[in-house]
Structures are given as structure tokens and as C-alpha cells.
């Protein structure tokens, strides 16, 4: 190549490969993320974002991107319900599934800040309406809220909750724990000593649902609204099940991986609310992530203290979970994240521990996993995140 003359095609490749600059508009970023990717590594790079949605059988999606500790943009794509043809908008409710868990963790930390209990108290000293049998595993180490939220308590359930038809009877938390009808999952019980290993347990978070309700003396949806959703500005979020008709008017239907309805029901209702019950929007989940980020850097006007935020961002010592969030190093950066999958819904939240950026993707299809990974990768490249193998140095 003549060093004095750079071919225009090569120059164009360099320009499109680099992330956009801070002064570029949100529309510029959206166009870069939605379009065919350049330089193309083949695979999904040759597709526009709507084409990627079609490839994975996702009728509808909502995305919110965080930059500089603010929602930089939010946008909705596609159809909320293939039966009615209703379109997705940024106010459309999706099921957050397991992202309910870190949201519940914030409620527990709020209770800790008020002195109702500590993260290291024996869970049986907090529970009033049930007691977790030790089964010989807790002689040296009790089960605590910290261990339940980090999946290191020694529970063996691995739930996973399929939910129930909206008009079907739903079990109480105790019926879930005991594996009694109408629960449709097995019992929640200890199978190893606490802190032996990390084993994902939706049952553990459900125990915290009951513990919070017992400690607060109020229904779980009410305490979640008062201590987390309202303080974090999550105005389009609720743990109510089944979803009230007024909210269901702009709620997504659950779909299969081929884009067809999951079943006759529009969605499933849940009894394990702390583990799977949050209805929300991508924008509200972005606000939740920002709440954690801002609290972690010491903003005194947040519902969570800086110490509480650090509990959500610091692994407990066994496995990769902190109190609620999965923590990992990607490239040169450290990120907190959580995925979620319910009956016909898949979603994902990730954000940087220190740098004030992140992304939330919510989909109304069981095929949404491949889509959210592609959206994440496109956002990383467009914004030059330090999760890249070779982040752009400015």
C-alpha cells in the first residue's frame, strides 16, 4: 500500500470499525447498532437488527442503553402480541423473570439499612411463618440472606419456575418450599452445607420473599413498590400477579422460539414473585441499574447506601454472585449482570461497576437469548466498552 495514499474503501472500514464519539447523537448510535455491521465478521453482522429478531423468532423487543449514568436512549421494536398485532412501545411491560432476584436483593438491603435484620443473620431468626430445616447441614454455618442471594446457601432445587395459567390457583411460598399442591415444582431443601459451592436456586430467593414479608409485615408486592420501585423511579413496574387489566392493556404476550404464541394464555402468573415475578420495561430496569451505579459511587440521594451497593457488587467468596448480581470481568472491565427467562420471555441486564454504562434488552420470545447477546455485542462495539478484547483508547 502506498503510504501517501490510503484507499477510500480501507479508510471507510477504519471509520466504521471505531465506536462513535461522545458528541454523536443517540440517533447515530441507534443507526450503527441497527444496521449491517462493518467491518463484517459474517455471521449475524450481515443482518440488520430487525433481521436478527426474525432469525431468532422474536416478535418484539425493548432496549435501553445507559451512558454517563443516564438512560442515553430507549427504543421498542416489533410486535408485543402476534395475536392482536399490538406494537411494542417503550412503555410496554415485559416479564423480567430472574432479574426479579437482584431487584429483591435491593429490598433486602433496604431492610438491612433500617436495622430489621443483617445479611449474616440466621434466616430462621427472620422468618416467622416457616422455618428452613437444617437437615444436619447448618451445624457450623447457618443459612443467611447473603448466602440465599448469592446461591451459596446449600439448597438443591435449581428452580426454574414454569408459572401458572392466570386463572389457575397458585401456591403460597410455604407450599412451594414443601412441594405441596398446587405447586408445580419440587421442594426447596438443603442438600449440602452452606458455602460449599454455588448452585443456582430460585427457591432461595423465594425464601427471601417470605422473610421480607414476615419482617415488614406487609404483602410482598407492596413492600417492593415502597422500598425499591418507587425510590428508583421504576414507574412502569409491579410485582402484582396476575397482572391487573389496566396494565395488561400494554403488556407483551409470551411467544415460542419460532415467534408463535406460547399457548392460549397471554402469559403465565407466578407465585415465586421474588424469583420471577417482576413486570417492567427496559427503561425501568436501566433506572434500577443506574440506582446501583450511583449508590456505589457515593451519591447520597439514592435509596441504597454506598455500603449496600457494594454488597450487590462484591462476590461473597464462593462462586461469581454477589448479593443479587452475577459479577464478572469482561476484557478490562468489571460488570454486574443478570439474565432472565420465563414462559415466553427472555431478558438481560448488564452494567459497568464504575464507568456508568450498560444495556437492558427485553424480549417476548423464548428465542430471545441469541438476540440479546447480539444486541449486547453491537452496543459494546458502538460505544467502545472496555469489555472488548482491544478497547479503543482515547
Amino acid at each position: 500500500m502506498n503510504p501517501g495514499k490510503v484507499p477510500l474503501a480501507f479508510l471507510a472500514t477504519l471509520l466504521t470499525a471505531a465506536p462513535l464519539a461522545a458528541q454523536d447523537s443517540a440517533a447515530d448510535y441507534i443507526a450503527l447498532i441497527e444496521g449491517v455491521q462493518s467491518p463484517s465478521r459474517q455471521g449475524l453482522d450481515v443482518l440488520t437488527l430487525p433481521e436478527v429478531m426474525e432469525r431468532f423468532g422474536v416478535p418484539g423487543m425493548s432496549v435501553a442503553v445507559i451512558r454517563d449514568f443516564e438512560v442515553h436512549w430507549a427504543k421498542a421494536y416489533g410486535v408485543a402480541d402476534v395475536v392482536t398485532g399490538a406494537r411494542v412501545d417503550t412503555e410496554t411491560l415485559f416479564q423480567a423473570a430472574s432479574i426479579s432476584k437482584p431487584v429483591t436483593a435491593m429490598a433486602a438491603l433496604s431492610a438491612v439499612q433500617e436495622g430489621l435484620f443483617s445479611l449474616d443473620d440466621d434466616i430462621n431468626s427472620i422468618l416467622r411463618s416457616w422455618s428452613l430445616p437444617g437437615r444436619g447441614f447448618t451445624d457450623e454455618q447457618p443459612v443467611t440472606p447473603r448466602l440465599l442471594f448469592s446461591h451459596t446457601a446449600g439448597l438443591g432445587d435449581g428452580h426454574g419456575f414454569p408459572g401458572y395459567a392466570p386463572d389457575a390457583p397458585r401456591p403460597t411460598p410455604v407450599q412451594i418450599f414443601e412441594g405441596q399442591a398446587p405447586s408445580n415444582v419440587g421442594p426447596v431443601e438443603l442438600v449440602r452445607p452452606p458455602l460449599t459451592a454455588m448452585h443456582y436456586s430460585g427457591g432461595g430467593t423465594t425464601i427471601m420473599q417470605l422473610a421480607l414479608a414476615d419482617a415488614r409485615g406487609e404483602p410482598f408486592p407492596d413492600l417492593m413498590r415502597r422500598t425499591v420501585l418507587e425510590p428508583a423511579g421504576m414507574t412502569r413496574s409491579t410485582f402484582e400477579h396476575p397482572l391487573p387489566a389496566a396494565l395488561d392493556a400494554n403488556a407483551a404476550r409470551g411467544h415460542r422460539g419460532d415467534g408463535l404464541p406460547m399457548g392460549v394464555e397471554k402469559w403465565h402468573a407466578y407465585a415465586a414473585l421474588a424469583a420471577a415475578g417482576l413486570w417492567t420495561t427496559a427503561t425501568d430496569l436501566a433506572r434500577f441499574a443506574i440506582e446501583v451505579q450511583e449508590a456505589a459511587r457515593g451519591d447520597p440521594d439514592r435509596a441504597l447506601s454506598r455500603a449496600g451497593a457494594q454488597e450487590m457488587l462484591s462476590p461473597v467468596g464462593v462462586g461469581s454472585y454477589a448479593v443479587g448480581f452475577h459479577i464478572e470481568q469482561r476484557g478490562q472491565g468489571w460488570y454486574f449482570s443478570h439474565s432472565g427467562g420465563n414462559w415466553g420471555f427472555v431478558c438481560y441486564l448488564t452494567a459497568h461497576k464504575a464507568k456508568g454504562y450498560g444495556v437492558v434488552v427485553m424480549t417476548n420470545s423464548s428465542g430471545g437469548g441469541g438476540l440479546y447477546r447480539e444486541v449486547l455485542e453491537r452496543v459494546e462495539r458502538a460505544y467502545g466498552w472496555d469489555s472488548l478484547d482491544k478497547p479503543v483508547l482515547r
Side-chain angles (χ1 to χ4, degrees), residues 112 119 219 283 300 319:
V112 169
L119 288 177
T283 300

Side-chain angles (χ1 to χ4, degrees), residues 55 78 98 114 129 152 177 203 212 221 234 246 260 270 308 312 382 390:
R55 173 72 62 88
S98 286
E114 294 180 35
S129 49
T152 58
F177 305 148
L212 281 165
M234 299 172 71
L260 296 176
Y270 290 82
M312 297 190 74
K390 296 180 180 179

